[in-house]
Amino acid sequence: PYVDALYMHGVSDCRLIGHAAFHKVCTKLKADGRLRFVGISSHGPRGRDGDSMEKVLTAAAKDGRFDIMLLVINFMNEQAARRVLAACAEKQVACSAMKTTPGVVKIEPFDPENPSGEYARALERQLARWQRGLERGSGAPPRNALKG
């Protein structure tokens, strides 16, 4: 078996960057040709405890044993992310972005047997489009779209 990247994921404590067992295993797997890249990711602290994503990932870049990082980058942490990217560029560590569009979306529950709210309005619009297509002879709704 072969793995492209093995991550130490969700690190929020800088002390974990040097985890001896993780690095020992990664060194062995790389030497055996079974692992290509050693990675690390951070979302930042969970609650009040822990180190920032910036602190963890800049320290990991300076450590020198990581090949790739997964970091949060968006408008809410742009300056911190830029500092991480600069540290990675200096040490030639690859980066991949996550959580690029933060926010909360509230989606109302959907009952397909009894659609309501925005779901009902969307279905009504779609059914009207299909009906117009049928009247023009240019299409039909998918099967089971018009139950009852």
Side-chain angles (χ1 to χ4, degrees):
Y2 169 84
V3 175
D4 278 321
L6 180 62
Y7 279 83
M8 182 184 291
H9 187 59
V11 178
S12 60
D13 184 336
C14 286
R15 294 173 295 186
L16 293 174
I17 292 168
H19 194 283
F22 176 81
H23 290 292
K24 182 178 180 179
V25 166
C26 289
T27 300
K28 170 100 171 89
L29 290 171
K30 282 180 104 173
D32 293 347
R34 295 173 55 198
L35 174 62
R36 189 165 179 197
F37 301 113
V38 177
I40 186 170
S41 74
S42 180
H43 302 260
R46 303 209 188 280
R48 295 178 187 219
D49 298 330
D51 297 315
S52 70
M53 176 201 71
E54 179 183 359
K55 186 174 180 182
V56 169
L57 295 182
T58 53
K62 290 174 186 172
D63 177 87
R65 292 181 281 185
F66 295 95
D67 304 303
I68 187 168
M69 291 187 186
L70 183 60
L71 70 142
V72 175
I73 184 168
N74 56 59
F75 70 91
M76 294 175 65
N77 75 336
E78 184 178 354
Q79 296 306 314
R82 286 183 184 276
R83 290 187 288 271
V84 171
L85 292 171
C88 289
E90 182 180 321
K91 297 292 186 173
Q92 296 186 321
V93 176
C95 294
S96 185
M98 66 175 163
K99 299 183 179 182
T100 59
T101 54
V104 175
V105 177
K106 183 179 179 188
I107 300 174
E108 67 179 83
F110 177 64
D111 176 0
E113 299 299 321
N114 188 23
S116 63
E118 187 58 35
Y119 293 115
R121 290 186 289 280
L123 286 172
E124 288 169 7
R125 287 189 305 270
Q126 191 62 48
L127 288 172
R129 286 185 197 121
W130 286 330
Q131 185 61 43
R132 287 191 301 274
L134 286 173
E135 290 167 0
R136 290 190 312 265
S138 62
R143 289 187 179 156
N144 299 325
L146 300 172
K147 283 187 175 181

